[in-house]
Amino acid sequence: MPTSPPHTALVPRPSNARFTHGHFTFGPDTRLRVSAGAEPAADLLRDLLSPATGLTLGHAVDAAVVFHLDSALTGLGGEGYGLTIGPNSVLLRARELTGLLRGVQTVRQLLPSEALMATPQRGVPWTLPCAEITDLPSRPWRGAMLDVARHFQPMPYLLRYVDLLALHKINIFHLHLTDDQGWRMPVAAYPKLTEIGGHRAQSMVGASGDRYDGTAHGGAYTRTELARLVDHARARGITVVPEIEMPGHARAALAAYPHLGNHPDQVLDVWTRWGVCDTVLGLHDEVLDFCRTVLDEVMDVFPSPYIHLGGDECPLAEWERSPVAHDRLRATGLDGAAALHGWFLGQVGAFVTANGRRPVGWTETGTELPRDFTAMVWRDPVHAVAAATRGHDVVNAYHRATYFDYPQSDAADEPAGQPGAVVALQDVHGHDPVPDGLPARAAAHILGTQAQLWTEYVTTPDRIEYLTYPRLCALADNGWSGPTPWADFATRLRGHTARLNALQVTSHP
Ligand code: ACM
């Protein structure tokens, strides 16, 4: 008889799971057998389980637990897996290693939640319920964006952030590395990007613009740290998609190298305000060379097939008055400064494409991005329709459902967040990344969904987790499983909360 005790409250929900009576128990003698290529998944399971359980899971040819990669398996795609748990054996199968990595997270969730703790737990039977699970995602892009430009976060925290994404089968970590208020990635040819652009004198307090904290803020990663992050994420089946903002949101770069702007003699500070900054990159050849040099190094550090070029919120006032911009208009035959925004992204995007990667940009209207860009739609659901209909691949990042910098409720004791909206757990859970009525051909272009955490009002890892959880659980469920009934999700989330607690996640009640 099937049962559904709380420990089977999986998030995200598997496509197909049947639980039966009985259980498998891991013990000190439990051994693992892995087929060729599956070793990294076994390593991940060992790394994840050993702190709490002390299990070593060494190799044996007649082991009870088998990880099997089989390129002939069909119907599972690149991330799907099959998991068969019997009283005496566990078989995890996938076509690709990533599928095994997803299955490892399911095994982890099926164990008692103490298995997720960071310190040795004694007297807990490490049991898995007998089950037959076949599981694959409904969407290939299930992302989470963290803005480390507004408030820098130390690398050890980013590693934990990735661990928590992996638990939820999120597969994209979008790292927002540069903005008006800070530049966080070193570029050998332009050392001042981090030396100067990595620090600001103080930060605005609140949204009104009349209060500042008087405290310097800064930080930058080393190349070695970023490479370690990429490896850590890859070992968990997560791609780190780097974002370098251009041509707007570039004030930190312009503070370091003012000649890349529209007023070569200007002296600029790294921005201390929040909001949209009028200062943007210029349109001279040297700026395009700068972008290509930066992106060369970015592509060297980040193997991601996608490179995010920003592209949002680029005020045109400087270009409208710039002789260089007017020369560009004449030379290109384009009409009006607005067209230069698409031209600029097209130039840089072509460089990314020529290097075998795919450019990604935020869309403001659904129509302004060059054709080969993947469109990250945030402002309005109709932009997703417009972009997908034009043939762009689309990531649906609609702000009223995926921006986690908005507070989770309007309760009086809710910490101040981005003003203007509340994004409740139900809003995240109920957001279908495929807009209603989208024809099948366009719907096929919707890659998936993504959570955004802009950090103007978010300074500490604790606050990041408070804003991220449990909303990310809902986004992960939605992205992996497709729309699920609210009551079903809410029941599973109650069970899942024991896991978040075991991991000491500071989550919203
Ligand atoms: C954005 O929120 N400016 C992408």
Side-chain angles (χ1 to χ4, degrees), residues 23-382:
H23 52 259
F24 175 87
T25 306
F26 283 95
D29 300 327
T30 305
R31 295 287 176 264
L32 215 61
R33 176 159 58 87
V34 298
S35 68
E39 192 59 55
D43 288 342
L44 180 64
L45 185 70
R46 285 189 199 101
D47 286 353
L48 289 172
L49 295 190
S50 77
T53 68
L55 293 167
T56 51
L57 301 172
H59 280 282
V61 286
D62 59 347
V65 180
V66 175
F67 281 17
H68 188 65
L69 265 184
D70 181 353
S71 58
L73 277 178
T74 54
L76 292 174
E79 288 190 88
Y81 64 93
L83 177 62
T84 305
I85 303 166
N88 301 306
S89 64
V90 175
L91 172 61
L92 177 62
R93 296 187 306 160
R95 199 190 75 193
E96 292 182 23
L97 175 61
T98 308
L100 293 181
L101 299 175
R102 303 288 176 254
V104 163
Q105 298 293 344
T106 301
V107 168
R108 195 176 171 219
Q109 289 202 13
L110 286 171
L111 285 164
S113 57
E114 289 88 343
L116 282 69
M117 292 180 154
T119 54
Q121 303 298 306
R122 296 186 211 295
V124 182
W126 302 117
T127 57
L128 292 175
C130 288
E132 183 69 51
I133 295 175
T134 307
D135 194 15
L136 71 166
S138 69
R139 296 277 152 204
W141 188 300
R142 306 170 311 279
M145 186 222 71
L146 184 62
D147 164 14
V148 293
R150 270 55 175 267
H151 281 105
F152 179 76
Q153 300 301 328
M155 185 53 68
Y157 181 66
L158 296 194
L159 302 180
R160 170 179 163 89
Y161 184 86
V162 164
D163 291 343
L164 293 173
L165 298 185
L167 174 69
H168 296 91
K169 299 187 174 71
I170 294 289
N171 66 337
I172 301 282
F173 176 25
H174 169 176
L175 188 59
H176 184 81
L177 282 163
T178 72
D179 215 301
D180 298 313
Q181 298 85 357
W183 184 290
R184 308 295 175 212
M185 170 167 169
V187 177
Y190 295 95
K192 288 194 239 170
L193 285 173
T194 48
E195 288 167 13
I196 293 176
H199 303 272
R200 64 175 180 265
Q202 57 179 349
S203 307
M204 194 165 116
V205 175
S208 61
D210 53 7
R211 281 197 301 138
Y212 290 81
D213 65 2
T215 305
H217 178 83
Y221 304 108
T222 64
R223 249 187 95 116
T224 308
E225 283 180 316
L226 292 171
R228 161 125 198 268
L229 175 67
V230 167
D231 283 346
H232 186 84
R234 180 171 33 212
R236 286 148 185 77
I238 295 176
T239 300
V240 184
V241 175
E243 179 182 358
I244 304 293
E245 275 271 20
M246 60 188 75
H249 285 289
R251 169 80 166 233
L254 291 170
Y257 295 101
H259 70 281
L260 298 173
N262 294 285
H263 305 284
D265 301 326
Q266 65 197 343
V267 177
L268 296 166
D269 59 349
V270 177
W271 221 31
T272 56
R273 295 179 59 89
W274 313 130
V276 178
C277 182
D278 283 341
T279 324
V280 304
L281 292 176
L283 293 164
H284 36 307
D285 288 341
E286 206 177 347
V287 177
L288 296 171
D289 288 341
F290 163 79
C291 292
R292 290 188 275 255
T293 302
V294 167
L295 290 170
D296 245 343
E297 184 143 356
V298 167
M299 288 188 280
D300 216 27
V301 173
F302 296 95
S304 165
Y306 293 94
I307 303 292
H308 203 306
L309 302 178
D312 57 317
E313 297 176 324
C314 179
L316 301 174
E318 287 194 335
W319 291 353
E320 277 160 358
R321 289 191 293 271
S322 150
V324 178
H326 286 277
D327 288 348
R328 279 290 179 213
L329 283 175
R330 266 191 300 279
T332 55
L334 291 167
D335 190 18
L340 290 170
H341 181 243
W343 174 85
F344 184 101
L345 290 173
Q347 295 295 305
V348 183
F351 177 72
V352 169
T353 306
N355 279 275
R357 314 291 184 94
R358 287 181 236 171
V360 186
W362 299 106
T363 64
E364 306 290 278
T365 65
T367 58
E368 83 280 11
L369 284 176
R371 208 39 181 265
D372 52 350
F373 272 59
T374 294
M376 199 164 267
V377 174
W378 64 284
R379 264 211 161 115
D380 189 319
V382 304

Side-chain angles (χ1 to χ4, degrees), residues 420-483:
V422 165
V423 171
L425 184 61
Q426 285 89 338
D427 299 322
V428 183
H429 176 267
H431 172 64
D432 188 343
V434 183
D436 272 350
L438 194 64
R441 235 175 93 153
H445 281 292
I446 308 283
L447 298 181
T449 183
Q450 178 171 291
Q452 277 55 241
L453 191 60
W454 305 104
T455 56
E456 289 94 330
Y457 306 100
V458 188
T459 52
T460 63
D462 242 26
R463 185 53 62 79
I464 289 174
E465 291 191 2
Y466 178 84
L467 290 166
T468 302
Y469 295 95
R471 288 188 289 194
L472 189 89
C473 307
L475 185 125
D477 208 56
N478 199 315
W480 180 277
S481 321

